[in-house]
Structures are given as C-alpha cells and as structure tokens.
Amino acid sequence: MRYKLTFAVGLALGYVIGTRAGRERYERMKKAAKGFAENPAVRNAAESAAQTGRQYAGKAAHVVGDKVGDHLPAAVAERVSALRGRAHANGQVAEDDDWGTSNT
C-alpha cells in the first residue's frame, strides 16, 4: 500500500513538473488538492485512521513486549513500560495521549 501511494504521489508530481499546460493548470490542480485535503470528511477519515493506528500500535507493543520479554534492549524496555503505564486495563491508550491529533 505504501509503495502504491508513493508511486501515485510521484506520478502526480511528475505530471505537475512536466506539464506543458503551464501555471494555470498547476494552480487548478493545487486548488483541487487543497480543497480535497480540507474537506471535513477527508480530515475525519484521516484522523480516524490515525486513531485506529495508534490503538493497534499500543496493542502490538504489549504483545511484542510479552513475547520478547527480557531480550529487549534497555531503551526499548523503558519505552514499552512507559506505554504500559499509560494503558487502561482493556489495552487502549489513555485519553490524555494527544500525540498525532489535530484541532479539527
């Protein structure tokens, strides 16, 4: 998925840079991209995906920490224990974690 997205961004960038339509076409594309990014539905979907990613990352950290145990380097073990300290009993990160959130 990441590679497909990178390819699409590269393709769009190549089109913008290589277009012979000039500045007018570039400005129209820029306006359309900005309108898409500022769309409330798109912003909500992106925030929802980010929140889901944070939840799965928190759960994955617990699973990996349990399976790997004492074989972790000290820095990683400290980070895992810090994450566990912020987690609820059900494995979700506490509400005061505002990392990666936006003010939308």
Side-chain angles (χ1 to χ4, degrees), residues 82-102:
L83 286 172
R84 285 186 176 167
R86 285 196 326 235
H88 294 296
N90 65 1
Q92 292 185 348
V93 177
E95 294 297 323
D96 63 345
D97 182 15
D98 62 351
W99 181 81
T101 59
S102 63

Side-chain angles (χ1 to χ4, degrees), residues 5 9-11 18 21 25 31 35 40-41 43-44 48 51 54 56 61 65 71 78 83 90 95 101:
L5 181 61
V9 169
L11 186 65
R25 177 72 178 149
K31 184 179 178 183
R43 294 181 71 140
N44 288 339
S48 176
Q51 181 66 27
R54 285 190 295 274
Y56 282 122
H71 301 293
E78 289 174 15
L83 286 172
N90 65 1
E95 294 297 323
T101 59

Side-chain angles (χ1 to χ4, degrees), residues 42-79:
V42 172
R43 294 181 71 140
N44 288 339
E47 183 61 34
S48 176
Q51 181 66 27
T52 302
R54 285 190 295 274
Q55 288 174 352
Y56 282 122
K59 290 177 184 177
H62 294 297
V63 171
V64 170
D66 290 342
K67 289 188 178 191
V68 175
D70 296 331
H71 301 293
L72 291 174
V76 175
E78 289 174 15
R79 180 67 181 141

